[in-house]
Amino acid sequence: MLAAMPPSPAPRPDRAEPPVRDRGDACPGALRLHSAADGSLARVRLPAGDLTVRQATALADAAERLGDGHLSLTSRGNVELRGLPEDGGRHLADLLADAGLLPSVRHERIRNVLASPLAGLDRHTPSDVRLWARSLDALLCASDAATGLSGRFLFVLDDGRGDVAGLGGDVTLLAESGRQDPPAAGYAPGAASGWGALLRVGDDRAALRIAADDAPRAALTAAEVFLAAAAERGSGAWRVRELPTAGPLTAQEVQRALRAAGIAAEHVEHPAAPVPGSAAHYADATAPGPVEGPDGRRALAVLAPLGRLAAAQWRLLTATAAADGDGELRLTPWRGVIVPGLAAAPAHRRLREFAAAGLITDPASPWRRVTACTGLPGCAKSLTDVRSDAAGVLAGGETVPADGSGAPVGLPVHWSGCERRCGHPHGAWVDVLATPDGYRTTAMPPKSLARPPVSRETAGPGTVSRETPRPGVVSRETPSASAAPPAAPLSSTPQPTTPRPQ
């Protein structure tokens, strides 16, 4: 393991202007594989994280027959397969297509749809935005224009609890469960989620209020408006935040396009932002454990240690969904899996089995709030095996290297093997970065909405806190801005670690 070291100044200064893109993005997909140090990598898009048992079984088969026997869960609720052979692309494509995981070859990389994972499952459930997700995916796959979107463009559908609204969507739909749709829409509640939605683009504070039935088509229209704007501005932007600062995409521009398409949209200049966890009757979507539904049945939520599952763990979850659940699984942006539809008795038994298999089932577990990039040996850019290093620290009950004192309690912690910090959380987080001289621990504040849009998803310059770290329960992966007060640098010293067995 690398030695820990005192921090240096903030590692990621903001850029005044977004970049000009002169090429398409290189994001991997199920058909466009990425060459990594441990073999080829495939990223399988799963809109809303939804999987049938048959589809989940196909992914396990692919991991065991073609890959390294593991499945990596991403922060967008997708799955990555690693260690694939150079000539395995066609076999993988056949496996995925047979399972219905490739509905459109032309659109497979742009099916980035993130939805509130507990929508429709908890006792006091808000609007079921997952219906919107399915409709949006079908519209995407039928749109010729949508093929121009980058593999990084993200649709976010929040059911009103605020769990995913802050996860960096280019087009965000936020269900409004407390009001009717605009009168001009002529919408009869009940066809979809029963209420209206707020649509936002990028970092624009304004929003558009639309009818629930129109939500999927409005989201696609907004994406198509972005494509036209990127072409007109000449920046080649991959994402809404990458449009030139002098010519950002606004809600008013989208509103004009919606009206032209026959979609009623009410402009809302200052919509109230959802506060994660503010509605006490909503279950915490980031926490592992059982969730009781309106029909008395349970959904079981687990997290994957450092976002990685062995095929055997994955098959256990799949078998549970088939035998005791409703035949489906949901992946979450917190690198977890939800198995819905269990009766109370098998739910308790299965949760014990999940814990015995090495899955995270305890909300108080320190593993809950720690993530890591791939690191060595999978990524040649990494300076060290960050997963083994992080696992060793976690085995000792800590989340950061020894004497990284001052790391704010309750923030997500992300270990990175290089300056790219792949997979880091949104909002405020603790950055554990490998450098040639050891690990550097820094608390990163959330990106301020007062700053102009920048070209990337990541937070701005880092500050740290002098608070004394101690074990504690974490309320969610992406906390609110108030969770990271600015303060002085951390210091840390070396700590030996032992890799956690898989």
Side-chain angles (χ1 to χ4, degrees):
M1 175 184 175
L2 294 178
M5 59 172 287
S8 60
R12 294 178 288 106
D14 281 331
R15 290 182 285 219
E17 275 292 330
V20 175
R21 304 290 192 185
D22 57 1
R23 59 177 177 81
D25 74 280
C27 276
L31 302 177
R32 180 199 284 183
L33 305 188
H34 168 71
S35 180
D38 58 348
S40 294
L41 177 152
R43 183 175 297 154
V44 184
R45 266 70 173 188
L46 305 171
D50 284 343
L51 280 170
T52 65
V53 164
R54 178 167 171 258
Q55 291 170 336
T57 299
L59 289 172
D61 291 344
E64 290 180 328
R65 298 176 190 173
L66 303 174
D68 63 3
H70 291 78
L71 300 95
S72 297
L73 310 187
T74 77
S75 61
R76 291 184 170 190
N78 296 320
V79 165
E80 286 183 352
L81 302 172
R82 304 189 65 94
L84 301 169
E86 290 185 9
D87 59 352
R90 176 57 62 90
H91 191 183
L92 175 63
D94 290 343
L95 274 173
L96 298 179
D98 288 345
L101 290 169
L102 288 178
S104 173
V105 169
R106 298 174 61 214
H107 298 82
E108 64 95 5
R109 288 194 322 117
I110 60 102
R111 299 170 67 222
N112 294 304
V113 182
L114 183 60
S116 295
L118 286 182
L121 294 181
D122 54 355
R123 179 177 289 277
H124 301 282
T125 182
S127 303
D128 195 348
V129 299
R130 308 188 72 82
L131 298 174
W132 299 350
R134 294 167 195 161
S135 296
L136 175 58
D137 184 41
L139 291 171
L140 277 172
C141 290
S143 168
D144 288 334
T147 60
L149 293 172
S150 100
R152 301 186 183 186
F153 194 91
L154 178 63
F155 296 91
V156 169
L157 282 57
D158 191 294
D159 64 8
R161 79 185 69 210
D163 57 342
V164 297
L167 297 187
D170 293 283
V171 175
T172 298
L173 290 173
L174 176 66
E176 286 195 295
S177 57
R179 60 169 292 132
Q180 297 288 344
D181 300 303
Y187 169 68
S193 60
W195 304 103
L198 292 175
L199 184 149
R200 296 186 62 173
V201 288
D203 289 328
D204 191 357
R205 292 184 181 87
L208 301 174
R209 180 168 286 124
I210 56 178
D213 270 359
D214 291 329
R217 191 158 63 100
L220 176 61
T221 301
E224 293 174 343
V225 173
F226 158 75
L227 288 172
E232 178 186 342
R233 272 76 150 175
S235 66
W238 296 342
R239 308 200 62 191
V240 171
R241 293 166 184 81
E242 293 183 352
L243 290 169
T245 305
L249 183 62
T250 65
Q252 288 182 330
E253 189 173 353
V254 174
Q255 184 183 36
R256 290 192 292 270
L258 292 178
R259 287 177 173 171
I263 301 174
E266 173 192 347
H267 189 271
V268 183
E269 188 63 33
H270 298 292
V275 180
S278 61
H281 55 277
Y282 291 166
D284 182 357
T286 72
V291 177
E292 186 172 355
D295 58 357
R297 302 184 75 80
R298 270 65 168 174
L300 297 184
V302 300
L303 299 177
L306 302 180
R308 194 110 156 109
L309 292 176
Q313 294 172 313
W314 181 270
R315 288 192 187 279
L316 173 60
L317 295 167
T318 303
T320 300
D324 298 318
D326 60 9
E328 296 182 351
L329 302 93
R330 297 182 182 184
L331 305 193
T332 81
W334 302 282
R335 296 176 173 85
V337 181
I338 296 173
V339 183
L342 284 77
H348 291 302
R349 173 173 54 83
R350 289 294 193 174
L351 199 62
R352 292 193 297 271
E353 292 178 7
F354 293 165
L359 301 170
I360 301 170
T361 61
D362 181 1
S365 169
W367 289 82
R368 174 185 171 187
R369 64 187 177 104
V370 178
T371 56
C373 72
T374 296
L376 290 176
C379 178
K381 291 183 172 64
S382 180
L383 298 179
T384 185
D385 185 347
V386 291
R387 289 178 179 272
S388 291
D389 291 349
V393 169
L394 284 160
E398 302 296 334
T399 59
V400 297
D403 293 338
S405 56
V409 176
L411 290 186
V413 177
H414 187 70
W415 291 61
S416 302
C418 76
E419 294 278 354
R420 296 188 306 164
R421 297 173 172 81
C422 294
H424 74 75
H426 287 269
W429 51 288
V430 176
D431 177 45
V432 181
L433 176 68
T435 77
D437 299 313
Y439 279 108
R440 183 174 65 214
T441 303
T442 311
M444 311 300 290
K447 184 175 69 174
S448 170
L449 292 178
R451 293 201 297 269
V454 294
S455 62
R456 46 182 172 68
E457 301 174 56
T458 51
T463 54
V464 294
S465 170
R466 292 186 184 276
E467 296 178 28
T468 303
R470 58 182 176 80
V473 179
V474 185
S475 60
R476 57 189 58 258
E477 289 288 327
T478 307
S480 62
S482 61
L490 310 176
S491 62
S492 51
T493 56
Q495 171 172 319
T497 63
T498 304
R500 180 175 183 261
Q502 295 294 322

